[in-house]
Amino acid sequence: MSMLDTGVILFYFLLLIIVGALGVKRAKTVEDYALAGRNLGLFVYLGCLSAVILGGASTIGTAKLGYQFGLSGIWFVFMIGLGITVLGLFFIHQIYGANVTTISELLGRRYNKETRLISALVAAIYTMMVSVTQVIGMGTIIHAVLGWDMTVSMLVGGGIVLFYTILGGMWSVTMTDIIQFIVMTVGIFFVMLPLSLSYVGGWKSLSEQLPATHFDLTSMGWTNIFQYFLLYTLGMVVSQDIWQRVFTARTTKIARSGAVYAGLYSFAYALALSIIGMCAVIVFPTINDPQNVFAKMSLTILPHGLLGLILASVCSALMSTASGTLLASSTLLSHDILKQYWLKDISDQKFVFLSRMITLAIGVIAITFAIWIQDVLVALDVAYAILSGAIFVPVVLGFFWKKATAKAGFYSIIISSLVVLVGLAVEGLSSTNPIMYGIAASIVSMIIFSYLQPSSNMQKGNIVLEEWEDEQGAL
């Protein structure tokens, strides 16, 4: 790679550090640090939401799936987009305006403080594991481009994100995400996609050279497609990093519209990356590691200067998701556990400092896990299996089933979490079956414990639910 491309990437990294550091001036209160003051307009909110849901796995993973399965590779990110669309259409009116910071806080209101505690732990593990996938992705790109050792590459990429996230919290994340959203949009849709098609002779040439299976939307198999639905569509609905972005919107209308638009953007992103992966089949008929498809394609077809921009766009997708999930994990631990049980009277200023320290600790752990796992899709599967298998059912039933009780919500999360973890241990980290076991265990637990629950507690849960409904009706 030329010095020009290296310079573009390094300049981009420096720009993010500078812009992210500016966020420290605006992160004066806990709400500023965690939620950017709940004051984002539609464009900024849309950019931030799109940037956080489309990270390293979405970019690198979809190009890999496009290489292996053709157009059927869209289903991974398509299901992410479907999840965020469902959230916007059916759930945002339930959660926006409740004046909470985390999904666990909302579960605590619906059920009890024990449920808030256990759900915070589970969701914190999930968000940290998503951060792990982004660090792996950054390491893959930096390693392929600059030739640095993979471990060093992950340390550098993860370290940059951790630095500006610690400083300014959600304001830094928001400011950098807008830059990242613009760069990744230009890089993928206006540079990489058209040049990839041009390099292989256009769509007609692509259709003539690839087998028919690469144009079959179901070539990866209905089982895999359904598993993506379970993992990512359900996961998006109950993901803390997504909810935390929802709470940054200025109004309910902005929150809902931005989520739907982000879903549509995800559909287009999935198609673009799958086509890029298909083009790579012609350029590289055989490749040792399909995970490197996007990086190798960029290095082969792009002229100097544009190559640096494209690789910066990939890093944009990675960094935006990493910063959002690091902050989400930190917020869950500091807001729902430390403050609730040990630091109830902590001042706002000290709590912001505590949040920064927790973010630092989570970032160090995430980078360590990334160095250990080093497979972006496996790490993401683990994250979403824990989230979807343990949290989805209590959240949805808590909203829509008035008979759901505090004991049911609490034990459902514990039992389904154990089922998912045991399933992953027995069947392997790459298996998605444990999520189905977890959902089944969660549904059964919710039903059994709800009907065994004393009526007084059930009525208390119904009162809380009715209060939510009254609040939403007043908005």
Side-chain angles (χ1 to χ4, degrees):
M1 190 172 73
S2 71
M3 291 297 295
L4 175 61
D5 295 314
T6 302
V8 170
I9 294 175
L10 294 179
F11 172 77
Y12 179 72
F13 287 165
L14 179 62
L15 177 64
L16 290 182
I17 291 173
I18 294 173
V19 172
L22 294 175
V24 71
K25 296 182 179 180
R26 307 192 70 172
K28 301 298 184 182
T29 67
V30 173
E31 192 161 280
D32 289 336
Y33 189 84
L35 301 175
R38 302 180 190 265
N39 196 37
L40 300 188
L42 179 59
F43 175 75
V44 176
Y45 170 70
L46 168 61
C48 292
L49 195 57
S50 299
V52 76
I53 64 176
L54 299 173
S58 301
T59 305
I60 297 171
T62 302
K64 171 184 176 180
L65 293 173
Y67 183 89
Q68 295 173 318
F69 301 106
L71 288 179
S72 190
I74 68 168
W75 289 110
F76 167 34
V77 171
F78 180 92
M79 292 303 179
I80 291 176
L82 179 61
I84 202 70
T85 302
V86 169
L87 177 67
L89 293 176
F90 301 107
F91 287 89
I92 280 185
H93 73 283
Q94 297 277 357
I95 65 177
Y96 191 89
N99 197 32
V100 297
T101 302
T102 67
I103 185 174
S104 302
E105 185 178 357
L106 204 59
L107 284 171
R109 288 189 186 182
R110 176 61 179 89
Y111 297 114
N112 55 25
K113 63 180 182 180
E114 290 80 12
T115 304
R116 179 177 182 176
L117 172 63
I118 192 65
S119 62
L121 289 172
V122 172
I125 293 172
Y126 150 73
T127 49
M128 185 188 71
M129 288 303 296
V130 176
S131 299
V132 170
T133 70
Q134 309 314 301
V135 175
I136 294 171
M138 283 183 275
T140 300
I141 294 298
I142 296 173
H143 169 70
V145 172
L146 302 179
W148 295 353
D149 177 77
M150 186 67 174
T151 298
V152 173
S153 299
M154 286 189 280
L155 286 171
V156 170
I160 292 172
V161 173
L162 184 57
F163 173 76
Y164 71 71
T165 305
I166 289 172
L167 286 181
M170 185 60 81
W171 273 119
S172 288
V173 171
T174 297
M175 295 164 69
T176 53
D177 274 1
I178 291 304
I179 296 174
Q180 291 163 343
F181 174 68
I182 294 171
V183 171
M184 64 191 272
T185 299
V186 172
I188 298 300
F189 291 102
F190 297 100
V191 177
M192 193 65 184
L193 177 60
L195 289 184
S196 295
L197 284 170
S198 176
Y199 193 85
V200 299
W203 181 261
K204 182 178 179 180
S205 176
L206 190 70
S207 62
E208 291 173 349
Q209 296 185 64
L210 292 181
T213 54
H214 268 62
F215 298 90
D216 181 357
L217 287 173
T218 62
S219 63
M220 70 164 51
W222 285 108
T223 299
N224 287 328
I225 294 171
F226 181 63
Q227 288 174 340
Y228 283 145
F229 169 79
L230 291 175
L231 283 169
Y232 305 119
T233 301
L234 303 189
M236 282 291 105
V237 173
V238 293
S239 175
Q240 166 61 23
D241 51 320
I242 306 304
W243 279 40
Q244 199 160 340
R245 296 305 177 99
V246 168
F247 297 145
T248 65
R250 186 180 301 131
T251 65
T252 305
K253 183 178 179 180
I254 289 174
R256 182 184 295 113
S257 299
V260 174
Y261 294 152
L264 295 175
Y265 182 88
S266 300
F267 301 154
Y269 199 84
L271 182 60
L273 266 297
S274 294
I275 293 173
I276 292 169
M278 293 166 65
C279 293
V281 176
I282 298 175
V283 181
F284 310 107
T286 58
I287 189 171
N288 293 329
D289 185 0
Q291 187 165 265
N292 294 327
V293 161
F294 189 91
K296 289 181 68 67
M297 193 69 175
S298 301
L299 290 167
T300 301
I301 72 171
L302 297 177
H304 297 312
L306 280 180
L307 175 60
L309 175 65
I310 290 301
L311 296 176
S313 73
V314 178
C315 289
S316 295
L318 297 158
M319 290 180 166
S320 57
T321 301
S323 58
T325 50
L326 281 175
L327 186 61
S329 187
S330 168
T331 302
L332 285 160
L333 294 178
S334 59
H335 183 79
D336 290 298
I337 298 177
L338 295 179
K339 188 175 182 179
Q340 290 300 308
Y341 289 90
W342 291 286
L343 303 169
K344 294 182 179 180
D345 299 322
I346 190 171
S347 68
D348 222 37
Q349 185 177 8
K350 289 182 179 179
F351 189 64
V352 171
F353 176 78
L354 173 67
S355 298
R356 288 192 171 106
M357 293 301 99
I358 297 297
T359 303
L360 173 62
I362 294 295
V364 170
I365 295 172
I367 293 171
T368 302
F369 271 54
I371 294 171
W372 172 46
I373 297 176
Q374 295 198 13
D375 189 310
V376 67
L377 289 181
V378 169
L380 195 69
D381 285 349
V382 172
Y384 276 95
I386 294 172
L387 181 72
S388 300
I391 299 293
F392 180 79
V393 172
V395 169
V396 173
L397 292 186
F399 283 144
F400 300 110
W401 191 41
K402 291 187 177 183
K403 291 184 178 181
T405 64
K407 181 179 289 187
F410 176 68
Y411 284 112
S412 171
I413 293 173
I414 291 181
I415 293 171
S416 56
S417 296
L418 291 174
V419 169
V420 170
L421 292 173
V422 171
L424 291 172
V426 172
E427 299 196 11
L429 296 180
S430 60
S431 174
T432 53
N433 287 331
I435 186 176
M436 290 182 279
Y437 307 152
I439 289 176
S442 188
I443 292 173
V444 172
S445 301
M446 286 293 296
I447 293 174
I448 291 176
F449 285 104
S450 290
Y451 281 105
L452 290 177
Q453 182 73 13
S455 59
S456 59
N457 287 341
M458 184 182 294
Q459 290 168 0
K460 180 181 178 181
N462 287 342
I463 291 172
V464 174
L465 183 59
E466 289 166 3
E467 288 175 350
W468 284 0
E469 293 170 346
D470 292 340
E471 288 175 2
Q472 300 310 313
L475 292 176

